[in-house]
Amino acid sequence: MRRALALALLFAAGCSREPASEKRLIVLGFDGMDHALTKELMEAGRLPNFSRLAEAGSFQALETSVPPQSPVAWSNFITGMDSGGHGIFDFLHRDPETMVPYLSTTDVSGGGTTIEVGGYQFPLSGGSIELLRKGRTFWEVLENHGVETTIIRMPANFPPSGTATRELTGMGTPDLPGTIGTFSFYTSKLFAFAGQDISGGEVYEVDIFDNVVEAALYGPDNPFLVETEKVTSPFTVYLDPVDPVAKIVAGAEELILREGEWSEWVTVEFPLIPTQTLAGMVRFYLRSVRPDFELYASPVNFDPMAPPLPISTPGGYAAELARATGRFYTQGMPEDTKAIEQGVLTTEEFLAQAEIAGREIREQYRYVLDRFQTGLLFYYVGNVDQVSHVMWKVREPDHPEYDPEVDPEYEGLIEDLYVGLDEMVGYTLDHMGEDTTLVVMSDHGFTSFRRSFHLNAWLAHKGYLAVKNPDLENDPGLFVNVDWTGTRAYGVGLNALYVNLRGREKNGIVAPEKREALMDEIAEQLLGEIDPATGLPAVTKMYKREEVYRDRGELEIGPDLIVGYAKGTRGSGRSALGAVGKEIITDNLDEWSGDHEMDHETVPGVLLTSRPLKRPASSLKELGRSILVEFGIDEPIQPTEETE
């Protein structure tokens, strides 16, 4: 609520250099590209352009972060530091004073004092939005040395750092309501999805009168209203009485869709007060006209022609890209994995939506590459990672979630996506010029997610966590069922485990002098936990924060222990949000069938270069520094540090 209001308030309210370098270096960042699968496909001859790179330069595994989560991993790459320096430990952190989880990379705060007039309120000061990642970026060092940099969709970089010549934000950029992506589904079917918790979306039951449907898109809470109320943008759907066709009128736009057809981007406005509106855009998908009307609407994205929050440097760069190749998804993770997970989109429909998102990225890349003259170009692609999360099972007929009726049709899908990345590399090699260095890298690898470990349930079973009601069947999470007076440790986030420390946590009970012994005890027991279904350890690494991270001033906000689950096992999503439950290890029966948030040594990323790097890099932390050296800059990314 606080985040949405703050975003809306923001909607309502942008050294000297040495001579520029002529060197050109391109980094293609392929999120989630797995080293083992890449090697296998290269040996099979399916990635000829990757092999061209390997023959001319190098091909190796690239050590990922602890834990191997994208915001953590990309922050390692960006700053050359681990979490003890950049301060990103997980997708989620918790506020020890309130025990409320929050997104780790960005903080949005609302305006201060307001003045009320009738039912309206008007902020007397603007809100703020802050990138929580700490430390200098490697591209800032390049810019300080006169090297022009273009950074497209770097994760954990929202709002944009403002230190590159050109930037476009990526993972971490919200949709218009302020979430990571909330779709809408309109249906005339009675009780559709009744009783289901539709995570990541909203289902609206609509009526049909004379073949007309009246509905609305929803934005954030209106910051100008004293009473909480979401802003809306109404639209009308006219159903053809005979053919499976509908006309949608949204704002000033009219479009006609047939069943099974996706729209282009449709711009919409959300009135705030008579003098102000929010601009957004949406894609519609008409699934069915009859017998039941069914219409999917994508999360409402920022319109890059008029974004209400900063998403690029300079501010007009997003609009330049939109004018050049068309409007594009601005939310950080555009592939709608939630819609397929919730059964709102079928596999075929999800893949069509993911293809649209991927095509936008590819078309935009050609424009960016064509105008790349000098310095560094970083270009991020997250399509393979997101699709792999929900489609990895098609590679494994023995996966618990494998559907023998549906999945055989998609055998080879993941491999084909890798071939698409290879084609992007081939295009780059053919157009970048002989004097350009190409680096292809990924933040982590990928593997099957077959077993789900419920950390808070394990802690409760072992007596480290106490519950208020042991018979509670549907724990809503957020520690609602946790009895802090008897809890010594708890989990929040996908790999994080915290001691309920006296003097730090709101209701801490563990004396500081007993923290170390408790951590040792829990780590030993987790490493000894055997998965009864496999007979193998469920956890293969336990990391103490003081041992795995270098303390550069950010260590205190991190977890006390980081759990390195065995390859194929991952922390459960419900436990990550503070639910306890009763079962400890279960089959993963979710569509989310592939993952990487495990023992970091089991899921390394990839590094390919078109020529040997002058300063070799074995890890994400080292790669940024190696890029500086390619430009003749041999200094640490962080100004206060000695060469590591």
Side-chain angles (χ1 to χ4, degrees):
M1 180 69 71
R2 172 172 170 263
R3 176 184 174 84
L5 175 61
L7 280 169
L9 284 170
L10 284 168
F11 298 151
C15 61
S16 64
R17 290 186 169 189
E18 298 174 6
S21 165
E22 296 302 318
K23 183 174 178 59
R24 288 160 49 97
L25 190 149
I26 298 171
V27 180
L28 293 176
F30 294 151
D31 202 311
M33 185 169 68
D34 182 66
H35 177 260
L37 181 56
T38 301
K39 184 172 184 290
E40 174 188 324
L41 294 175
M42 287 171 66
E43 291 173 350
R46 296 203 61 193
L47 306 178
N49 294 303
F50 281 20
S51 295
R52 286 170 63 189
L53 276 181
E55 292 166 6
S58 65
F59 170 52
Q60 64 178 79
L62 188 65
E63 183 182 354
T64 184
S65 59
V66 177
Q69 298 186 25
S70 289
V72 185
W74 289 107
S75 295
N76 278 17
F77 171 51
I78 291 168
T79 66
M81 299 187 291
D82 59 36
S83 299
H86 56 65
I88 308 299
F89 293 85
D90 199 293
F91 274 102
L92 290 177
H93 290 171
R94 92 315 180 206
D95 181 344
E97 296 182 0
T98 63
M99 303 308 292
V100 174
Y102 62 92
L103 290 176
S104 62
T105 56
T106 307
D107 179 61
V108 180
S109 59
T113 306
T114 60
I115 183 171
E116 295 185 11
V117 179
Y120 292 95
Q121 62 182 0
F122 298 90
L124 298 180
S125 61
S128 65
I129 183 166
E130 180 186 4
L131 176 62
L132 298 179
R133 172 178 47 72
K134 304 296 191 302
R136 189 165 69 169
T137 65
F138 70 85
W139 62 82
E140 183 176 348
V141 180
L142 291 172
E143 291 278 350
N144 289 344
H145 285 266
V147 178
E148 192 171 283
T149 62
T150 302
I151 310 296
I152 305 296
R153 294 189 178 83
M154 178 69 80
N157 193 45
F158 172 78
S161 71
T163 56
T165 304
R166 286 169 289 274
E167 283 174 291
L168 180 70
T169 61
M171 182 189 296
T173 309
D175 61 7
L176 195 70
T179 75
I180 60 173
T182 302
F183 65 82
S184 300
F185 187 70
Y186 306 88
T187 176
S188 63
K189 186 176 183 180
L190 295 176
F191 311 116
F193 301 98
Q196 293 187 35
D197 179 16
I198 305 297
S199 173
E202 297 287 348
V203 175
Y204 300 99
E205 190 173 307
V206 296
D207 297 319
I208 303 173
F209 293 105
D210 293 333
N211 290 316
V212 176
V213 175
E214 300 284 356
L217 299 163
Y218 292 85
D221 291 336
N222 190 334
F224 292 103
L225 295 180
V226 175
E227 298 294 330
T228 301
E229 182 178 318
K230 292 188 180 303
V231 295
T232 60
S233 182
F235 65 93
T236 305
V237 184
Y238 299 92
L239 308 180
D240 189 286
V242 178
D243 295 321
V245 178
K247 182 174 78 171
I248 301 175
V249 179
E253 297 200 38
E254 294 186 7
L255 61 148
I256 294 176
L257 293 179
R258 301 188 68 82
E259 283 184 355
E261 189 176 4
W262 291 83
S263 76
E264 299 295 328
W265 285 110
V266 178
T267 57
V268 292
E269 289 190 339
F270 296 82
L272 294 171
I273 55 177
T275 58
Q276 290 199 37
T277 60
L278 293 178
M281 61 180 195
V282 65
R283 280 188 186 271
F284 290 107
Y285 168 70
L286 181 62
R287 170 182 283 169
S288 172
V289 171
R290 61 183 63 81
D292 296 307
F293 168 73
E294 294 182 323
L295 180 73
Y296 163 92
S298 72
V300 182
N301 276 233
F302 297 165
D303 182 352
M305 301 297 287
L309 289 178
I311 60 171
S312 68
T313 303
Y317 186 55
E320 176 192 328
L321 294 172
R323 284 192 295 271
T325 62
R327 286 183 165 86
F328 53 89
Y329 278 97
T330 54
Q331 71 179 95
M333 293 185 284
E335 294 80 10
D336 204 338
T337 55
K338 288 297 183 185
I340 184 174
E341 284 186 274
Q342 302 302 324
V344 171
L345 291 181
T346 66
T347 299
E348 182 180 1
E349 291 165 344
F350 164 75
L351 291 175
Q353 186 271 330
E355 166 56 23
I356 291 170
R359 186 169 63 243
E360 289 178 352
I361 298 285
R362 294 192 298 274
E363 292 175 352
Q364 200 173 79
Y365 176 63
R366 296 191 176 205
Y367 172 82
V368 173
L369 181 62
D370 185 56
R371 278 149 185 80
F372 175 54
Q373 298 296 320
T374 185
L376 170 72
L377 167 61
F378 171 86
Y379 201 91
Y380 170 86
V381 178
N383 192 257
V384 172
D385 176 83
Q386 291 297 296
V387 176
S388 294
H389 274 301
V390 292
M391 296 300 295
W392 193 266
K393 62 179 180 176
V394 303
R395 306 183 72 242
E396 302 173 347
D398 60 343
H399 191 287
E401 184 55 16
Y402 186 84
D403 185 342
E405 299 295 324
V406 176
D407 291 335
E409 179 181 350
Y410 302 103
E411 181 181 3
L413 170 71
I414 304 299
E415 291 81 353
D416 290 344
L417 293 176
Y418 276 56
V419 171
L421 297 179
D422 182 79
E423 292 171 355
M424 191 170 177
V425 169
Y427 181 87
T428 306
L429 289 170
D430 293 341
H431 293 81
M432 69 182 192
E434 294 183 358
D435 60 338
T436 305
T437 301
L438 176 60
V439 174
V440 175
M441 49 85 70
S442 65
D443 57 334
H444 51 68
F446 224 93
T447 191
S448 183
F449 171 21
R450 292 166 176 250
R451 299 285 284 168
S452 191
F453 193 96
H454 305 269
L455 180 60
N456 282 323
W458 181 88
L459 288 168
H461 178 72
K462 293 293 184 179
Y464 297 113
L465 184 150
V467 296
K468 297 174 182 173
N469 179 5
D471 298 322
L472 183 66
E473 291 296 332
N474 296 306
D475 189 335
L478 299 178
F479 306 118
V480 168
N481 197 33
V482 173
D483 175 3
W484 294 110
T485 64
T487 292
R488 291 182 288 161
Y490 61 96
V492 63
L494 289 169
N495 298 86
L497 192 156
Y498 295 84
V499 172
N500 189 26
L501 195 65
R502 183 187 304 161
R504 184 183 69 182
E505 262 73 5
K506 179 182 179 182
N507 301 299
I509 65 169
V510 178
E513 62 271 21
K514 295 184 177 179
R515 170 179 175 266
E516 190 74 19
L518 179 60
M519 290 163 57
D520 288 338
E521 180 182 314
I522 292 174
E524 182 180 355
Q525 292 215 33
L526 275 171
L527 287 170
E529 187 70 28
I530 300 298
D531 184 340
T534 65
L536 298 172
V539 175
T540 51
K541 286 280 193 312
M542 288 298 297
Y543 313 85
K544 289 183 180 178
R545 71 181 188 187
E546 287 84 358
E547 294 176 356
V548 72
Y549 303 131
R550 178 179 170 186
D551 189 1
R552 296 175 171 92
E554 301 299 321
L555 206 56
E556 271 302 306
I557 64 174
D560 297 288
L561 290 168
I562 298 90
V563 183
Y565 296 103
K567 191 172 186 178
T569 299
R570 201 206 73 176
S572 79
R574 289 182 53 77
S575 185
L577 292 173
V580 180
K582 298 175 182 176
E583 295 183 294
I584 295 174
I585 313 178
T586 57
D587 273 340
N588 173 32
L589 299 177
D590 295 334
E591 291 288 337
W592 195 269
S593 57
D595 214 284
H596 45 79
E597 283 137 352
M598 304 164 188
D599 177 343
H600 84 291
E601 292 184 2
T602 67
V603 284
V606 170
L607 179 62
L608 286 145
T609 62
S610 62
R611 62 189 64 172
L613 296 177
K614 296 171 184 173
R615 179 187 173 97
S618 62
S619 69
L620 284 167
K621 285 193 300 183
E622 297 175 352
L623 185 55
R625 179 78 182 275
S626 297
I627 291 172
L628 298 185
V629 172
E630 290 299 305
F631 286 91
I633 303 168
D634 191 8
E635 66 178 59
I637 298 174
Q638 302 309 315
T640 58
E641 296 193 353
E642 300 294 329
T643 301
E644 296 185 10

